[in-house]
Amino acid sequence: MIPSTPTDAQNQEEKYSFFSEEFLTAFTKSLKASLIAEKTNLDIVELIQLCCIGDEEAWDQFIDKFHRRIMLYAYRLKSSYCVKGLNELEIVEKVFLKLLADKYSVLKEFRGNTEESFTRYLLIITRNVTINIIQKKM
């Protein structure tokens, strides 16, 4: 209902004034928390789709979920190639930059539907990025 007079508007404000600022703040926080909790239960396809449209919370969740796997694999690759001056943090950074490049084109190319298939896809990207870094250093 649109208030037609200033007194109608004032009456509507009074009608909802029983909510304290503290209550509204707490309610807003709990609502945000529940939305974040919903996003944490996403399957990998939904997570990738949200990342591709620029959802920052989804991207943070994506990084939290895969950063360690990429780091460990990068460390193993670094050890197996025995290249001095190769830093696994540099590899991880370049992998995430590759995923972001060209409006998430590498993420959009993924056609699987399970986390295992995406992990394999991500490790192949990590291996290719590592090989590219090694070739540039030689």
Side-chain angles (χ1 to χ4, degrees), residues 104-136:
Y104 309 98
S105 64
V106 174
L107 277 179
K108 290 176 183 175
E109 288 174 8
F110 175 66
R111 296 289 176 243
N113 58 3
T114 65
E115 188 170 327
E116 293 79 21
S117 62
F118 182 74
T119 300
R120 284 192 298 272
Y121 180 72
L122 193 57
L123 295 181
I124 290 168
I125 293 167
T126 304
R127 186 193 65 217
N128 292 342
V129 165
T130 304
I131 290 169
N132 289 341
I133 292 171
I134 291 170
Q135 288 173 345
K136 287 179 184 175

Short mmCIF file of all heavy atoms in Angstrom, two decimals, residues 104-136:
data_model
loop_
_atom_site.label_atom_id
_atom_site.label_comp_id
_atom_site.label_asym_id
_atom_site.label_seq_id
_atom_site.Cartn_x
_atom_site.Cartn_y
_atom_site.Cartn_z
N TYR A 104 36.87 -16.38 -17.66
CA TYR A 104 36.69 -17.74 -17.14
C TYR A 104 36.58 -18.80 -18.22
O TYR A 104 35.93 -19.82 -18.04
CB TYR A 104 35.46 -17.82 -16.23
CG TYR A 104 35.40 -16.77 -15.17
CD1 TYR A 104 34.64 -15.61 -15.34
CD2 TYR A 104 36.08 -16.91 -13.97
CE1 TYR A 104 34.58 -14.63 -14.36
CE2 TYR A 104 36.03 -15.95 -12.98
CZ TYR A 104 35.27 -14.82 -13.19
OH TYR A 104 35.21 -13.87 -12.21
N SER A 105 37.20 -18.57 -19.37
CA SER A 105 37.04 -19.51 -20.49
C SER A 105 37.49 -20.93 -20.14
O SER A 105 36.85 -21.90 -20.57
CB SER A 105 37.79 -19.01 -21.72
OG SER A 105 39.18 -18.97 -21.48
N VAL A 106 38.56 -21.07 -19.35
CA VAL A 106 39.03 -22.41 -18.99
C VAL A 106 38.02 -23.10 -18.08
O VAL A 106 37.76 -24.30 -18.22
CB VAL A 106 40.42 -22.32 -18.31
CG1 VAL A 106 40.87 -23.68 -17.80
CG2 VAL A 106 41.44 -21.78 -19.30
N LEU A 107 37.43 -22.35 -17.15
CA LEU A 107 36.39 -22.94 -16.29
C LEU A 107 35.16 -23.33 -17.10
O LEU A 107 34.56 -24.37 -16.87
CB LEU A 107 35.97 -21.95 -15.20
CG LEU A 107 36.83 -21.88 -13.95
CD1 LEU A 107 36.28 -20.84 -12.99
CD2 LEU A 107 36.93 -23.22 -13.26
N LYS A 108 34.81 -22.49 -18.06
CA LYS A 108 33.62 -22.76 -18.87
C LYS A 108 33.80 -23.97 -19.78
O LYS A 108 32.82 -24.59 -20.18
CB LYS A 108 33.27 -21.54 -19.71
CG LYS A 108 32.75 -20.38 -18.89
CD LYS A 108 32.51 -19.16 -19.74
CE LYS A 108 32.05 -17.98 -18.89
NZ LYS A 108 31.91 -16.75 -19.67
N GLU A 109 35.06 -24.33 -20.08
CA GLU A 109 35.33 -25.48 -20.95
C GLU A 109 35.09 -26.81 -20.23
O GLU A 109 34.95 -27.84 -20.90
CB GLU A 109 36.77 -25.43 -21.46
CG GLU A 109 37.00 -24.36 -22.48
CD GLU A 109 38.47 -24.23 -22.88
OE1 GLU A 109 39.29 -25.09 -22.46
OE2 GLU A 109 38.79 -23.29 -23.60
N PHE A 110 35.06 -26.81 -18.91
CA PHE A 110 34.86 -28.05 -18.16
C PHE A 110 33.50 -28.63 -18.48
O PHE A 110 32.48 -27.95 -18.39
CB PHE A 110 35.01 -27.79 -16.66
CG PHE A 110 34.70 -28.99 -15.82
CD1 PHE A 110 35.52 -30.11 -15.87
CD2 PHE A 110 33.60 -29.01 -14.99
CE1 PHE A 110 35.24 -31.23 -15.10
CE2 PHE A 110 33.31 -30.12 -14.21
CZ PHE A 110 34.13 -31.22 -14.27
N ARG A 111 33.46 -29.91 -18.87
CA ARG A 111 32.21 -30.55 -19.27
C ARG A 111 31.77 -31.67 -18.33
O ARG A 111 30.76 -32.31 -18.57
CB ARG A 111 32.34 -31.10 -20.68
CG ARG A 111 32.57 -30.05 -21.72
CD ARG A 111 31.31 -29.22 -21.92
NE ARG A 111 31.57 -28.14 -22.84
CZ ARG A 111 31.49 -26.85 -22.54
NH1 ARG A 111 31.17 -26.48 -21.33
NH2 ARG A 111 31.74 -25.93 -23.44
N GLY A 112 32.52 -31.93 -17.30
CA GLY A 112 32.16 -33.02 -16.38
C GLY A 112 31.07 -32.60 -15.42
O GLY A 112 30.54 -31.49 -15.47
N ASN A 113 30.74 -33.51 -14.51
CA ASN A 113 29.70 -33.19 -13.53
C ASN A 113 30.02 -33.67 -12.12
O ASN A 113 29.17 -33.63 -11.25
CB ASN A 113 28.34 -33.74 -13.98
CG ASN A 113 28.37 -35.23 -14.20
OD1 ASN A 113 29.38 -35.88 -13.96
ND2 ASN A 113 27.28 -35.77 -14.67
N THR A 114 31.25 -34.14 -11.91
CA THR A 114 31.63 -34.58 -10.57
C THR A 114 32.87 -33.83 -10.11
O THR A 114 33.64 -33.32 -10.92
CB THR A 114 31.94 -36.09 -10.53
OG1 THR A 114 33.09 -36.34 -11.32
CG2 THR A 114 30.76 -36.91 -11.00
N GLU A 115 33.04 -33.80 -8.81
CA GLU A 115 34.22 -33.14 -8.26
C GLU A 115 35.49 -33.88 -8.65
O GLU A 115 36.53 -33.24 -8.89
CB GLU A 115 34.10 -33.05 -6.74
CG GLU A 115 35.17 -32.20 -6.12
CD GLU A 115 34.93 -31.92 -4.65
OE1 GLU A 115 33.77 -31.81 -4.22
OE2 GLU A 115 35.94 -31.81 -3.93
N GLU A 116 35.44 -35.19 -8.74
CA GLU A 116 36.61 -35.97 -9.12
C GLU A 116 37.04 -35.63 -10.54
O GLU A 116 38.24 -35.47 -10.80
CB GLU A 116 36.32 -37.48 -9.01
CG GLU A 116 36.11 -37.97 -7.60
CD GLU A 116 34.71 -37.67 -7.05
OE1 GLU A 116 33.77 -37.45 -7.84
OE2 GLU A 116 34.57 -37.65 -5.82
N SER A 117 36.09 -35.54 -11.46
CA SER A 117 36.46 -35.20 -12.83
C SER A 117 37.00 -33.77 -12.92
O SER A 117 37.93 -33.50 -13.67
CB SER A 117 35.28 -35.40 -13.79
OG SER A 117 34.22 -34.54 -13.46
N PHE A 118 36.45 -32.86 -12.12
CA PHE A 118 36.98 -31.50 -12.13
C PHE A 118 38.38 -31.46 -11.53
O PHE A 118 39.24 -30.73 -12.01
CB PHE A 118 36.07 -30.52 -11.38
CG PHE A 118 36.60 -29.12 -11.44
CD1 PHE A 118 36.53 -28.39 -12.60
CD2 PHE A 118 37.22 -28.56 -10.34
CE1 PHE A 118 37.07 -27.12 -12.68
CE2 PHE A 118 37.75 -27.28 -10.40
CZ PHE A 118 37.67 -26.56 -11.57
N THR A 119 38.62 -32.24 -10.48
CA THR A 119 39.95 -32.28 -9.88
C THR A 119 40.98 -32.77 -10.90
O THR A 119 42.06 -32.19 -11.02
CB THR A 119 39.96 -33.17 -8.63
OG1 THR A 119 39.03 -32.64 -7.68
CG2 THR A 119 41.33 -33.21 -7.99
N ARG A 120 40.64 -33.80 -11.66
CA ARG A 120 41.55 -34.28 -12.72
C ARG A 120 41.79 -33.18 -13.74
O ARG A 120 42.93 -32.95 -14.17
CB ARG A 120 40.98 -35.53 -13.40
CG ARG A 120 41.13 -36.78 -12.57
CD ARG A 120 40.84 -38.03 -13.37
NE ARG A 120 39.48 -38.09 -13.88
CZ ARG A 120 38.44 -38.59 -13.22
NH1 ARG A 120 38.62 -39.08 -12.02
NH2 ARG A 120 37.25 -38.60 -13.76
N TYR A 121 40.74 -32.49 -14.14
CA TYR A 121 40.84 -31.38 -15.10
C TYR A 121 41.76 -30.29 -14.55
O TYR A 121 42.64 -29.79 -15.24
CB TYR A 121 39.42 -30.84 -15.35
CG TYR A 121 39.31 -29.69 -16.31
CD1 TYR A 121 39.50 -29.88 -17.67
CD2 TYR A 121 38.98 -28.42 -15.87
CE1 TYR A 121 39.37 -28.82 -18.57
CE2 TYR A 121 38.84 -27.36 -16.74
CZ TYR A 121 39.04 -27.57 -18.10
OH TYR A 121 38.90 -26.52 -18.97
N LEU A 122 41.59 -29.97 -13.29
CA LEU A 122 42.39 -28.93 -12.64
C LEU A 122 43.86 -29.35 -12.53
O LEU A 122 44.76 -28.52 -12.71
CB LEU A 122 41.81 -28.64 -11.26
CG LEU A 122 42.28 -27.41 -10.53
CD1 LEU A 122 42.05 -26.14 -11.35
CD2 LEU A 122 41.55 -27.28 -9.20
N LEU A 123 44.12 -30.61 -12.26
CA LEU A 123 45.49 -31.08 -12.15
C LEU A 123 46.19 -31.10 -13.52
O LEU A 123 47.39 -30.84 -13.61
CB LEU A 123 45.55 -32.45 -11.49
CG LEU A 123 45.07 -32.47 -10.02
CD1 LEU A 123 45.19 -33.87 -9.44
CD2 LEU A 123 45.79 -31.45 -9.16
N ILE A 124 45.44 -31.36 -14.57
CA ILE A 124 46.01 -31.28 -15.92
C ILE A 124 46.40 -29.83 -16.22
O ILE A 124 47.49 -29.57 -16.77
CB ILE A 124 45.02 -31.83 -16.97
CG1 ILE A 124 44.89 -33.34 -16.82
CG2 ILE A 124 45.46 -31.46 -18.38
CD1 ILE A 124 43.75 -33.96 -17.60
N ILE A 125 45.54 -28.89 -15.85
CA ILE A 125 45.85 -27.47 -16.04
C ILE A 125 47.10 -27.11 -15.24
O ILE A 125 48.00 -26.42 -15.73
CB ILE A 125 44.66 -26.60 -15.63
CG1 ILE A 125 43.49 -26.81 -16.59
CG2 ILE A 125 45.05 -25.12 -15.55
CD1 ILE A 125 42.18 -26.23 -16.13
N THR A 126 47.18 -27.61 -14.01
CA THR A 126 48.34 -27.34 -13.16
C THR A 126 49.62 -27.89 -13.79
O THR A 126 50.65 -27.20 -13.81
CB THR A 126 48.13 -27.95 -11.76
OG1 THR A 126 46.92 -27.44 -11.20
CG2 THR A 126 49.30 -27.64 -10.84
N ARG A 127 49.55 -29.10 -14.31
CA ARG A 127 50.73 -29.68 -14.97
C ARG A 127 51.14 -28.85 -16.18
O ARG A 127 52.32 -28.54 -16.37
CB ARG A 127 50.44 -31.13 -15.40
CG ARG A 127 51.68 -31.81 -15.97
CD ARG A 127 51.37 -33.10 -16.66
NE ARG A 127 50.56 -32.80 -17.83
CZ ARG A 127 49.55 -33.57 -18.27
NH1 ARG A 127 49.22 -34.65 -17.63
NH2 ARG A 127 48.87 -33.23 -19.33
N ASN A 128 50.18 -28.43 -16.99
CA ASN A 128 50.50 -27.64 -18.18
C ASN A 128 51.10 -26.29 -17.81
O ASN A 128 52.04 -25.83 -18.46
CB ASN A 128 49.25 -27.46 -19.05
CG ASN A 128 48.80 -28.75 -19.68
OD1 ASN A 128 49.56 -29.72 -19.76
ND2 ASN A 128 47.55 -28.80 -20.10
N VAL A 129 50.55 -25.66 -16.79
CA VAL A 129 51.09 -24.37 -16.32
C VAL A 129 52.52 -24.56 -15.83
O VAL A 129 53.41 -23.76 -16.13
CB VAL A 129 50.19 -23.76 -15.23
CG1 VAL A 129 50.90 -22.64 -14.48
CG2 VAL A 129 48.89 -23.26 -15.82
N THR A 130 52.77 -25.65 -15.10
CA THR A 130 54.10 -25.93 -14.59
C THR A 130 55.09 -26.13 -15.73
O THR A 130 56.20 -25.58 -15.72
CB THR A 130 54.08 -27.18 -13.68
OG1 THR A 130 53.13 -26.98 -12.64
CG2 THR A 130 55.46 -27.45 -13.10
N ILE A 131 54.70 -26.89 -16.72
CA ILE A 131 55.57 -27.13 -17.88
C ILE A 131 55.86 -25.81 -18.60
O ILE A 131 57.01 -25.55 -18.99
CB ILE A 131 54.94 -28.18 -18.83
CG1 ILE A 131 54.98 -29.55 -18.16
CG2 ILE A 131 55.66 -28.20 -20.17
CD1 ILE A 131 54.17 -30.61 -18.87
N ASN A 132 54.85 -24.95 -18.74
CA ASN A 132 55.07 -23.65 -19.39
C ASN A 132 56.06 -22.80 -18.59
O ASN A 132 56.93 -22.14 -19.17
CB ASN A 132 53.75 -22.89 -19.55
CG ASN A 132 52.86 -23.51 -20.59
OD1 ASN A 132 53.31 -24.27 -21.44
ND2 ASN A 132 51.58 -23.19 -20.52
N ILE A 133 55.96 -22.82 -17.28
CA ILE A 133 56.88 -22.04 -16.43
C ILE A 133 58.30 -22.59 -16.59
O ILE A 133 59.25 -21.82 -16.72
CB ILE A 133 56.43 -22.07 -14.95
CG1 ILE A 133 55.13 -21.29 -14.77
CG2 ILE A 133 57.52 -21.50 -14.04
CD1 ILE A 133 54.50 -21.44 -13.40
N ILE A 134 58.43 -23.91 -16.58
CA ILE A 134 59.76 -24.53 -16.73
C ILE A 134 60.37 -24.16 -18.08
O ILE A 134 61.56 -23.82 -18.18
CB ILE A 134 59.67 -26.06 -16.56
CG1 ILE A 134 59.34 -26.39 -15.10
CG2 ILE A 134 60.96 -26.74 -17.00
CD1 ILE A 134 59.00 -27.84 -14.87
N GLN A 135 59.57 -24.22 -19.14
CA GLN A 135 60.09 -23.89 -20.47
C GLN A 135 60.55 -22.44 -20.55
O GLN A 135 61.54 -22.13 -21.21
CB GLN A 135 59.03 -24.18 -21.53
CG GLN A 135 58.81 -25.66 -21.76
CD GLN A 135 57.65 -25.94 -22.70
OE1 GLN A 135 56.83 -25.09 -22.97
NE2 GLN A 135 57.59 -27.17 -23.17
N LYS A 136 59.83 -21.54 -19.87
CA LYS A 136 60.23 -20.13 -19.88
C LYS A 136 61.52 -19.91 -19.10
O LYS A 136 62.29 -18.99 -19.42
CB LYS A 136 59.12 -19.26 -19.31
CG LYS A 136 57.95 -19.12 -20.23
CD LYS A 136 56.85 -18.28 -19.64
CE LYS A 136 55.66 -18.24 -20.57
NZ LYS A 136 54.51 -17.54 -19.97
#
